[in-house]
Amino acid sequence: MISLNNKKKRSSSSRNWLVRQLKDKYVARSRDLGYRSRSAFKLLEIDKKYRIFANNQVVVDLGCAPGGWLQVATKRSTNGIIIGVDLNDITPLQGVTFIKGDFLEPNTTTQILQHLNDKQIDIVLSDMTAPACGINQIDVLRNTMLVNSVINFCDKVNAKSMIAKVLRGGTEKEIFAACETQYQNVLYFKPHSSRQDSSEIYIVATRRTLHAC
Ligand SMILES: C[S@@+](CC[C@H](N)C(=O)[O-])C[C@H]1O[C@@H](n2cnc3c(N)ncnc32)[C@H](O)[C@@H]1O
């Protein structure tokens, strides 16, 4: 349970973070509904709007820890194959194969492909954020590099759809254009559950026509 009344001295930024967490309705809702992260609501919103999940899909979730998106994927795509990848460990989740590793390392991609054994990937999800150094331009560039690696991976495996987090800050048009070379339908979406003061937006790219519901 998080509380402001803890005797431990906190820096003002950690206090501000705590106040925000305590006031945040999505944090409370994720606790009530048993989701491992408030991020789960972003994917739920994306799916509600664009109906990306179906049963029996092969889903690869890059940067999956602690596992909120994996929980959504296992619920929305039953009988599918769900693979999660992260630098950090996760508490095991039924129906999920977890690969611990750096997605930027070729060995991690090899492990994903070995596990799939030539099965076609339906959806690549990426909520990855590179560790922030606090200098906006550097943070945006590091995240652009991550998103570009995701796009290259989708190209290599011919993934049918891709949903990836992008940080606004100057490179989002190039990222959009790179997706358009592979996917017929590409759009940006900012879920309500994504904090309005956050620069994150989500790129949704598919081969099929996207109907907003
Ligand atoms: C915002 S969290 C993801 C939250 C997740 N979608 C959920 O719902 O629980 C971003 C994750 O990306 C992971 N990450 C960042 N860079 C990575 C990389 N190069 N390879 C693998 N994971 C990475 C981080 O370790 C972190 O756990």
Side-chain angles (χ1 to χ4, degrees), residues 51-175:
R51 301 272 178 240
I52 49 154
F53 287 114
N55 289 338
N56 306 306
Q57 283 173 325
V58 177
V59 181
V60 176
D61 182 6
L62 304 169
C64 65
W69 280 28
L70 288 173
Q71 288 174 297
V72 173
T74 52
K75 278 187 192 148
R76 293 293 163 100
S77 179
T78 52
N79 299 320
I81 296 176
I82 317 258
I83 298 177
V85 177
D86 205 288
L87 296 166
N88 299 314
D89 269 319
I90 63 161
T91 304
L93 189 62
Q94 196 172 6
V96 171
T97 299
F98 176 66
I99 296 169
K100 184 173 177 179
D102 183 343
F103 175 66
L104 297 174
E105 292 290 331
N107 178 41
T108 309
T109 324
T110 308
Q111 284 186 63
I112 299 171
L113 298 180
Q114 274 171 352
H115 185 79
L116 285 175
N117 200 13
D118 283 341
K119 289 197 184 69
Q120 163 79 56
I121 299 179
D122 293 292
I123 311 176
V124 171
L125 305 171
S126 168
D127 198 17
M128 284 190 287
T129 323
C133 73
I135 301 167
N136 186 49
Q137 277 169 320
I138 296 178
D139 287 340
V140 168
L141 283 177
R142 280 186 182 158
N143 280 293
T144 303
M145 198 174 78
L146 265 182
V147 182
N148 281 334
S149 328
V150 176
I151 297 170
N152 289 341
F153 176 69
C154 289
D155 188 24
K156 183 174 165 190
V157 299
N158 215 7
K160 290 183 195 163
S161 307
M162 181 196 91
I163 294 169
K165 175 157 71 190
V166 173
L167 296 190
R168 276 177 297 202
T171 57
E172 58 270 29
K173 278 192 186 146
E174 284 87 345
I175 293 170

